[in-house]
Amino acid sequence: MKLFDIIKRSDIILLLFILLTAFLVFIPYKSGLYAADASPAQVVVTQNGKEYLRCSLFEDRIIDMGSNIISVENGSVHMKSADCKNQVCVNTGEINKTGQSIICLPNRITVRITGEEGPDAVTR
Amino acid sequence: MPSRGKSSARLVADCAVLTALSMILSYIDSMIPLLPSVPGIKLGLANLVILVSLYLLGFAPAFLIDIIRVILSGLLFTGLSGALYSLSGALLSFAVMALLKRSGRFSEVGVSIAGGAAHNLGQLLTAVFLISNPYLFYYYPVLTVTGCAAGILTGFLSHILIKRLSPLLDG
């Protein structure tokens, strides 16, 4: 294939280097280093970088923040509605594992799950 | 070579055409979600135009096209906060691409891959800064791997385009 002739050796080294950085970030995430606290799973909501609310993942509730409405239901969380244009947070859907998060960039809101997940918290 | 023997009116016209094209591609980019579950992943077709302008028109015109594209498509499609994210990504991406191109060691594919990765990194850093939640960084691996794949594609395409368009834009 003629197209592949244009790739130089330095291109491949560059590609491998970039993929390596991705891998290096991926390892601590996968091994749960970011979710080190071992308390039962909690939902942490932040707005403008400050903690807005923290509650258990296993108690159903609706969090009304004005611009966004977050729903905690049956051990999973989803963004019920948001007044922003892109609706990325709403389209994220449900999250239910430690380390997952929903982010609304326009309103600077993050929702994330910390601590152990239900079954793991019992077995450990 | 950039704008040698080319009238300034011709250069302005070329830039205008390329800016319009890059805005259309930005719009198409925003309409094709590669992974609907992860926001921010796009093909990066608009980068094609920036790469082609960088190679055929030179540093300054390509930089202008890039900045105008980001501001206008931000105002039209994503709103001001969206434009802020794109701008930081675009600036970092352009700086990296211009440097790699100047070094002469990389083909269009390498320049494109690095540009895509830098764009993602710039946006992510802005998001981390604005939301002040370093946790966002767990998006980095997904963004980077898909960004590399898209970068290879746009790199090949731009290689073809640069070859085909050079008689038209160099004139």
Side-chain angles (χ1 to χ4, degrees):
Chain A
M1 188 62 177
K2 236 170 98 189
L3 266 180
F4 285 96
D5 295 346
I6 66 165
I7 301 180
K8 296 180 182 169
R9 223 173 68 137
S10 39
D11 290 337
I12 293 170
I13 295 169
L14 179 75
L15 177 65
L16 291 178
F17 176 75
I18 294 172
L19 290 178
L20 181 73
T21 64
F23 191 63
L24 288 179
V25 175
F26 183 66
I27 294 171
Y29 169 62
K30 207 58 195 166
S31 61
L33 221 144
Y34 294 153
D37 46 358
S39 53
Q42 288 190 315
V43 181
V44 180
V45 181
T46 69
Q47 189 170 32
N48 294 320
K50 291 188 202 85
E51 189 167 315
Y52 174 87
L53 184 135
R54 183 183 283 263
C55 63
S56 166
L57 180 61
F58 305 105
E59 280 166 37
D60 294 358
R61 65 183 293 176
I62 302 284
I63 303 162
D64 190 344
M65 300 182 70
S67 58
N68 297 49
I69 298 175
I70 303 157
S71 159
V72 183
E73 215 178 341
N74 299 325
S76 69
V77 191
H78 68 273
M79 187 70 78
K80 221 177 166 74
S81 71
D83 64 1
C84 59
K85 220 171 162 184
N86 60 27
Q87 297 289 307
V88 164
C89 55
V90 176
N91 292 330
T92 305
E94 295 200 335
I95 57 169
N96 49 32
K97 291 192 181 67
T98 301
Q100 287 183 321
S101 61
I102 303 175
I103 286 145
C104 179
L105 286 184
N107 297 332
R108 297 186 192 175
I109 290 171
T110 70
V111 182
R112 71 172 204 270
I113 301 178
T114 61
E116 305 279 327
E117 292 149 49
D120 287 336
V122 178
T123 45
R124 270 178 212 179
Chain B
M1 281 296 104
S3 60
R4 172 176 47 82
K6 185 194 266 188
S7 71
S8 54
R10 175 65 198 277
L11 184 65
V12 169
D14 284 349
C15 286
V17 169
L18 288 169
T19 307
L21 185 61
S22 71
M23 284 179 60
I24 292 169
L25 290 178
S26 289
Y27 183 57
I28 294 174
D29 267 342
S30 69
M31 293 199 332
I32 308 175
L34 289 184
L35 275 178
S37 55
V38 187
I41 293 189
K42 5 175 240 185
L43 266 175
L45 289 174
N47 201 32
L48 257 182
V49 179
I50 307 306
L51 269 170
V52 171
S53 345
L54 186 62
Y55 274 85
L56 294 181
L57 298 179
F59 180 86
F63 186 68
L64 271 179
I65 292 170
D66 203 12
I67 298 300
I68 294 170
R69 167 187 75 89
V70 168
I71 293 172
L72 288 184
S73 61
L75 287 175
L76 283 174
F77 310 132
T78 53
L80 264 182
S81 78
L84 190 63
Y85 290 109
S86 320
L87 192 64
S88 55
L91 285 176
L92 190 62
S93 158
F94 190 83
V96 168
M97 291 198 297
L99 276 176
L100 289 195
K101 192 219 156 207
R102 178 162 257 192
S103 80
R105 285 161 180 266
F106 300 92
S107 72
E108 292 91 333
V109 178
V111 174
S112 165
I113 292 170
H119 190 96
N120 288 334
L121 186 64
Q123 287 197 311
L124 207 53
L125 287 175
T126 317
V128 168
F129 182 72
L130 282 180
I131 301 198
S132 50
N133 183 354
Y135 201 78
L136 275 172
F137 246 94
Y138 89 91
Y139 272 149
Y140 179 80
V142 198
L143 281 178
T144 305
V145 172
T146 51
C148 281
I152 294 171
L153 179 77
T154 47
F156 276 131
L157 283 174
S158 65
H159 176 78
I160 300 169
L161 282 174
I162 288 164
K163 254 213 274 186
R164 298 280 161 90
L165 288 177
S166 68
L168 286 171
L169 288 172
D170 249 1

